Amino acid sequence: MDWQDHKNYITVKARQPFQFSSCLNWLKKRDKEIIYELVNEHVLILIPTNEGAVLGRIEEGSEGVKVSFPESIPSLRGKNQAAQFVNDWFDMDTDILPFYQLAEKDPLLRPLVHKHYGMRIVGIPDLFEALSWAVIGQQINLTFAYKVKRRFIDTYGAHITYKGTKYWLFPRAEKIADLDPEALRELQFSIRKAEYIIDMAKMIRDGALSKEKLQHLDPLSLKKELMAIRGIGHWSAEYVRMKCFRHPDAFPVADVGLHNALKSQLGWDRKPEIEEIEEMAAHLSGWEAYAVFYLWMSNG
DNA sequence: GGCCAGGCTAGCA
DNA sequence: TGCTAGCATGGC
């Protein structure tokens, strides 16, 4: 990570090619999201640090992004954590040139990487949030999923108010661990999903599960560990590998959004089969996550 | 009203 | 290992 302090703001440099505006276009599509707020060409988000949450305002910067702190300026240590958060959120360290070289030879991806040049996989740095969001999103439409997520955050997340707008942190595992599943049912979680999420919260609170512990595992071991968690199947494990652990080879091949994107991009009147998708992706080995992300971006 | 939604578990062969 | 019924809860 490459960042610099400028007193009341910091800059974080990305490995090129990187285009903040392309990442912003991704965020703009998630208009039901409540973790961040988009204003013109910048994004406001509450960033967790060891010294408490700090409001960050992220915008285009030279070879990366500029992060300012409208509400209160953190210490140097806090700034470092904010820089890390942003660096992680936009996957700024990854060298995506190899992916672009492969995509150039792919008739489906070529126009997408040109149109969204410099876009990175916008991630979910927090493990509990990534796991919870995967579970919430399982087998329900995204509109409803965002509704449930909003209720969850409204009810159990912390927030600050700045200029009349509330900025939220995703609920902490410690706060969810002791809940009764019925409490989440009231927010329209299914009873099963409520159990899964509370169980995961318990594992995290008790230290049995943490990002730090899993971070150094190879892809296969990581997937195995994730799938050992009740409620996490193939799709969720790959999703979390992609959005939280930043493995570029993560491949949620069963994803409905991917199927819809392929159907539309191929001009087919049916969705592709899993085997067909795997064949199509064979030449993208190692970069499946980026291919999926750019295809998601093509969904209206 | 019926099909679909960014699937998973448990049970069975 | 591989298949599938049953689940759970709205959106459109």
Side-chain angles (χ1 to χ4, degrees), chain A residues 2-253:
Chain A
D2 181 4
W3 75 282
Q4 270 194 316
D5 186 18
H6 302 268
K7 288 196 174 172
N8 51 358
Y9 70 93
I10 61 174
T11 52
V12 186
K13 283 196 177 173
R15 190 165 299 206
Q16 301 301 309
F18 172 86
Q19 199 69 53
F20 181 66
S21 57
S22 296
C23 299
L24 210 53
N25 285 337
W26 168 266
L27 298 179
K28 284 177 185 167
K29 279 172 67 79
R30 327 309 271 184
D31 58 342
K32 298 182 184 71
E33 187 55 71
I34 41 172
I35 283 293
Y36 52 79
E37 191 206 15
L38 294 175
V39 184
N40 300 325
E41 294 309 303
H42 61 261
V43 53
L44 285 153
I45 185 168
L46 204 47
I47 300 172
T49 75
N50 287 350
E51 52 200 47
V54 56
L55 186 62
R57 179 187 192 277
I58 308 168
E59 64 198 291
E60 176 102 51
S62 148
E63 293 179 56
V65 298
K66 170 183 170 184
V67 186
S68 46
F69 307 98
E71 202 253 347
S72 71
I73 297 174
S75 70
L76 196 61
R77 185 155 163 251
K79 283 175 179 169
N80 182 47
Q81 291 184 343
Q84 281 193 37
F85 176 88
V86 172
N87 186 272
D88 190 0
W89 195 25
F90 295 113
D91 198 24
M92 293 166 75
D93 279 341
T94 299
D95 177 11
I96 58 172
L97 272 180
F99 167 65
Y100 278 181
Q101 285 166 4
L102 294 173
E104 209 50 49
K105 292 178 249 166
D106 185 304
L108 248 49
L109 288 172
R110 192 189 311 123
L112 290 176
V113 300
H114 286 195
K115 185 173 177 190
H116 309 292
Y117 191 74
M119 181 177 72
R120 301 310 183 102
I121 293 178
V122 180
I124 307 176
D126 179 68
L127 179 59
F128 181 58
E129 181 177 350
L131 288 166
S132 302
W133 180 229
V135 168
I136 290 172
Q138 287 165 8
Q139 188 60 14
I140 61 174
N141 65 74
L142 271 185
T143 306
F144 179 49
Y146 275 113
K147 240 180 221 179
V148 172
K149 180 179 176 181
R150 175 181 290 273
R151 290 200 194 101
F152 189 49
I153 295 173
D154 273 348
T155 311
Y156 297 107
H159 73 273
I160 66 160
T161 304
Y162 173 70
K163 288 193 175 172
T165 303
K166 287 180 176 175
Y167 296 91
W168 295 90
L169 284 181
F170 196 81
R172 295 189 49 77
E174 290 78 0
K175 185 150 187 176
I176 304 305
D178 288 324
L179 290 182
D180 187 299
E182 286 301 323
L184 293 186
R185 260 181 74 85
E186 286 174 21
L187 311 182
Q188 282 178 294
F189 284 72
S190 68
I191 188 67
R192 209 57 71 202
K193 289 187 179 183
E195 290 171 6
Y196 296 158
I197 286 177
I198 292 169
D199 280 354
M200 295 184 314
K202 284 194 168 90
M203 292 174 72
I204 289 173
R205 179 199 58 189
D206 299 341
L209 177 63
S210 75
K211 189 171 180 181
E212 291 66 35
K213 276 188 176 176
L214 299 175
Q215 214 151 24
H216 308 294
L217 294 180
D218 61 277
L220 268 180
S221 312
L222 173 58
K223 182 167 187 183
K224 197 175 160 190
E225 289 292 319
L226 291 172
M227 286 184 64
I229 304 167
R230 199 160 157 262
I232 303 298
H234 288 279
W235 177 85
S236 300
E238 291 301 281
Y239 183 84
V240 170
R241 221 152 65 72
M242 168 183 182
K243 299 275 279 187
C244 188
F245 291 93
R246 299 350 214 109
H247 288 190
D249 69 323
F251 195 12
V253 68

